[in-house]
Amino acid sequence: FLKYSLCQIELDRQAAIAQRYDDQGTVTKEGMPDVWEPLRRMTHNLLPHLEFYRIDVTNRDQIRCLWRVHSRDIHVDIDDLSSGEKAVVQLFFPLVEHHINERLELIRGNATITSREPLTVLMDEPELHLHPNLQGKVLDYVRALALGEGIQFILATHSPTIVEQATSEELYLLRPAELALGAENQLVQIASDEERLGIMREIFGSTSNIT
């Protein structure tokens, strides 16, 4: 599904450029936004050993989604990426696709990026198939997007790695509905500030033990 979606974006990109040419009679590279920039940026932040290269549609019977491996200077199809690498691309693909579609509309001449609608991104167990170091990178990347682009992220996680790296402002416990009385919110902040969270972690040994 992911490979199909990436290939469809490339076909949409080519169609958008053709439409721009039909409408204006000319197309310059300088006037075209880099449609794949969101995917390149995500790869750079989370999979720095890779670089998104391009979608190769020259052979319609064997379309390839290619990444370049820095250390070996070779191109690898998405089918040959590791399960963790595929999981990262899949995890952020809905957000990446959203930003790509904005750029496609720019090419078509149907929009200008002046102010974006507020976005909330829900992620369920983003730690699946990811080793602890990569889980930490995911959290850092989410923070960067939240601060830089004003996107709200809600991550539901069982990962001790993510929980231990979360700050007091980020860390909430989701209570079962039957434990929330009346109109009480099921989300309960673990600690009101970093000092209290630090003391709780020191007493209980870890945030996971508290929750």
Side-chain angles (χ1 to χ4, degrees), residues 120-182:
T120 296
V121 178
L122 308 179
M123 292 183 173
D124 186 29
E125 299 186 9
E127 67 270 15
L128 295 181
H129 306 294
L130 305 184
H131 58 74
N133 182 51
L134 193 47
Q135 292 177 32
K137 285 185 177 181
V138 165
L139 188 57
D140 289 339
Y141 184 54
V142 162
R143 286 187 181 122
L145 289 175
L147 292 173
E149 301 186 18
I151 302 172
Q152 180 188 42
F153 288 87
I154 299 176
L155 280 61
T157 181
H158 298 284
S159 165
T161 300
I162 292 178
V163 169
E164 293 307 320
Q165 294 186 27
T167 66
S168 60
E169 291 183 341
E170 300 167 338
L171 194 57
Y172 287 78
L173 177 68
L174 179 61
R175 295 184 296 176
E178 57 270 19
L179 296 184
L181 302 177

Side-chain angles (χ1 to χ4, degrees), residues 85-96:
E85 291 164 343
K86 291 176 186 175
V88 166
V89 178
Q90 183 176 352
L91 179 65
F92 284 94
F93 181 72
L95 181 60
V96 166

Side-chain angles (χ1 to χ4, degrees), residues 1-36:
F1 173 79
L2 180 60
K3 188 171 188 177
Y4 170 83
S5 299
L6 289 169
C7 294
Q8 187 60 54
I9 288 173
E10 175 60 21
L11 296 177
D12 290 343
R13 184 187 75 87
Q14 294 179 10
I17 293 174
Q19 178 184 329
R20 178 78 166 263
Y21 180 80
D22 290 342
D23 292 342
Q24 301 184 5
T26 182
V27 172
T28 62
K29 185 176 181 180
E30 293 73 19
M32 295 288 105
D34 181 6
V35 167
W36 294 109

Side-chain angles (χ1 to χ4, degrees), residues 76-89:
V76 179
D77 186 33
I78 192 172
D79 293 333
D80 299 318
L81 296 179
S82 70
S83 59
E85 291 164 343
K86 291 176 186 175
V88 166
V89 178

Side-chain angles (χ1 to χ4, degrees), residues 7-118:
C7 294
Q8 187 60 54
I9 288 173
E10 175 60 21
L11 296 177
D12 290 343
R13 184 187 75 87
Q14 294 179 10
I17 293 174
Q19 178 184 329
R20 178 78 166 263
Y21 180 80
D22 290 342
D23 292 342
Q24 301 184 5
T26 182
V27 172
T28 62
K29 185 176 181 180
E30 293 73 19
M32 295 288 105
D34 181 6
V35 167
W36 294 109
E37 190 276 334
L39 183 57
R40 296 184 208 279
R41 178 157 44 100
M42 185 274 294
T43 303
H44 174 75
N45 280 277
L46 297 177
L47 304 170
H49 58 289
L50 297 175
E51 178 185 7
F52 175 72
Y53 181 54
R54 69 186 180 98
I55 307 296
D56 183 0
V57 295
T58 53
N59 182 357
R60 293 299 179 92
D61 295 325
Q62 192 176 4
I63 296 175
R64 299 187 300 164
C65 304
L66 298 175
W67 272 259
R68 187 169 70 89
V69 182
H70 290 302
S71 60
R72 303 180 64 185
D73 198 24
I74 60 175
H75 297 125
V76 179
D77 186 33
I78 192 172
D79 293 333
D80 299 318
L81 296 179
S82 70
S83 59
E85 291 164 343
K86 291 176 186 175
V88 166
V89 178
Q90 183 176 352
L91 179 65
F92 284 94
F93 181 72
L95 181 60
V96 166
E97 184 180 34
H98 176 80
H99 288 160
I100 284 176
N101 285 332
E102 288 181 334
R103 285 161 172 78
L104 286 173
E105 288 302 306
L106 284 175
I107 293 178
R108 297 184 184 108
N110 296 334
T112 57
I113 298 180
T114 54
S115 61
R116 289 186 170 129
E117 290 293 324

